[in-house]
């Protein structure tokens, strides 16, 4: 079974803090993704990566950056958290054949 | 702009009812359409559809794709309270490593 894990289930941060969200997959997948999920808006792609050290902007990259130093690990960074970044963050991975496997999500609250 | 639209956004039915969830899409370079179920955490994969008119079935769930009219439906018969979830539709694009998601349908099954 594919396993995608995320470092935290719940996080509370203050405005202006730097926030790191970590994602690890154990299936040697090339592709990894970060989404945010908000009610009524579905899943929106923030960034994705198709190889180590490679990254591509998704639909809503503003205010975020990513890092992929190892194949199994993909980090999402909020350089200076703002209240409008309060959301559920989902990480996913795929082998490039369409189906993505998701982690359990991190619910982030920025105060 | 690639777009996936799900309807209804929210649906409440009684246990035992049959429900039909809709997903329409307008995308360039369609490769496949995927359905996911999301309960409290990670979306879990249900179906991948690539060809028109071929029904995919898993227990009480079934899905079909119409590539001419650009939509898919997900049917759930004899619903149970455990079917309560958000159902996500996504389209996989040729030549892109990412999925385009709809807003999701929140299904609630009352006993």
């Amino acid at each position: 079974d594919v396993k995608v894990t995320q470092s935290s289930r719940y996080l509370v941060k203050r405005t202006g803090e730097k926030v790191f969200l970590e994602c690890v997959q154990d299936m040697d997948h090339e592709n990894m993704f970060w989404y945010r999920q908000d009610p009524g808006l579905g899943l929106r792609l923030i960034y994705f990566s198709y190889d180590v050290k490679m990254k591509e902007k998704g639909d809503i990259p503003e205010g975020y950056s990513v890092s992929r130093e190892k194949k199994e690990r993909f980090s999402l960074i909020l350089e200076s958290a703002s209240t409008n970044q309060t959301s559920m963050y989902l990480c996913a991975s795929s082998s490039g054949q369409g189906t993505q496997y998701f982690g359990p999500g991190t619910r982030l609250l920025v105060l | 702009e690639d777009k996936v639209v799900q309807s209804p956004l929210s649906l409440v039915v009684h246990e035992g009812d049959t429900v039909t969830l809709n997903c329409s899409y307008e995308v360039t370079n369609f490769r496949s359409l995927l359905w996911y179920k999301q309960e409290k955490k990670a979306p879990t994969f249900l179906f991948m559809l690539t060809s028109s008119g071929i029904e995919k079935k898993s227990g009480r769930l079934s899905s079909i794709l119409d590539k001419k009219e650009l939509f898919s439906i997900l049917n759930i018969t004899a619903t149970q309270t455990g079917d309560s979830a958000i159902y996500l539709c996504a389209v996989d694009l040729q030549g892109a490593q990412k999925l385009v998601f709809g807003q999701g349908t929140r299904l609630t099954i009352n006993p």
Side-chain angles (χ1 to χ4, degrees):
Chain A
D1 271 0
V2 176
K3 195 162 180 194
V4 181
T5 56
Q6 294 183 227
S7 50
S8 307
R9 290 299 310 279
Y10 301 95
L11 269 182
V12 181
K13 296 290 180 181
R14 298 223 170 261
T15 301
E17 278 193 76
K18 192 167 185 174
V19 182
F20 293 87
L21 303 182
E22 300 273 318
C23 175
V24 178
Q25 50 96 1
D26 67 357
M27 282 303 290
D28 202 37
H29 283 167
E30 292 83 12
N31 303 324
M32 296 187 75
F33 306 83
W34 275 107
Y35 296 89
R36 64 178 282 176
Q37 185 176 28
D38 301 289
L41 297 177
L43 269 68
R44 292 181 292 165
L45 182 64
I46 304 171
Y47 267 98
F48 66 102
S49 168
Y50 52 88
D51 202 351
V52 175
K53 295 196 189 293
M54 306 300 286
K55 60 185 179 186
E56 291 271 349
K57 290 180 181 178
D59 300 316
I60 50 162
E62 296 79 18
Y64 303 94
S65 61
V66 291
S67 171
R68 191 152 180 216
E69 297 296 319
K70 294 186 177 180
K71 191 174 187 180
E72 67 271 17
R73 190 178 296 269
F74 192 35
S75 303
L76 179 70
I77 303 149
L78 287 66
E79 295 290 341
S80 176
S82 63
T83 54
N84 62 13
Q85 293 179 309
T86 291
S87 189
M88 168 73 98
Y89 289 89
L90 288 163
C91 174
S93 73
S94 79
S95 62
Q97 298 300 314
T99 307
Q100 292 183 10
Y101 298 89
F102 285 85
T106 296
R107 196 168 286 282
L108 173 66
L109 173 62
V110 182
L111 299 174
Chain B
E1 185 189 336
D2 298 317
K3 196 163 62 167
V4 177
V5 176
Q6 291 185 245
S7 64
L9 294 183
S10 180
L11 184 59
V12 181
V13 301
H14 289 294
E15 208 167 16
D17 288 352
T18 293
V19 297
T20 299
L21 308 184
N22 303 290
C23 176
S24 64
Y25 60 92
E26 286 179 38
V27 301
T28 52
N29 299 319
F30 175 92
R31 177 158 65 179
S32 65
L33 186 144
L34 298 94
W35 284 98
Y36 287 85
K37 177 183 181 182
Q38 184 181 20
E39 294 173 85
K40 294 219 185 322
K41 36 188 185 176
T44 53
F45 172 75
L46 293 174
F47 298 113
M48 177 190 280
L49 302 153
T50 53
S51 302
S52 268
I54 298 175
E55 186 182 50
K56 293 264 179 117
K57 212 166 157 59
S58 176
R60 296 175 293 102
L61 276 68
S62 64
S63 184
I64 198 159
L65 174 67
D66 185 326
K67 287 168 78 172
K68 185 178 172 193
E69 299 298 328
L70 308 182
F71 76 92
S72 173
I73 59 171
L74 176 68
N75 270 332
I76 310 174
T77 58
T79 51
Q80 302 170 357
T81 54
D83 295 325
S84 294
I86 296 173
Y87 290 84
L88 297 166
C89 171
V91 171
D92 180 32
L93 306 175
Q94 295 271 12
Q97 306 276 13
K98 58 180 186 172
L99 299 177
V100 180
F101 279 87
Q103 320 95 303
T105 293
R106 182 179 290 276
L107 177 64
T108 304
I109 312 294
N110 287 328

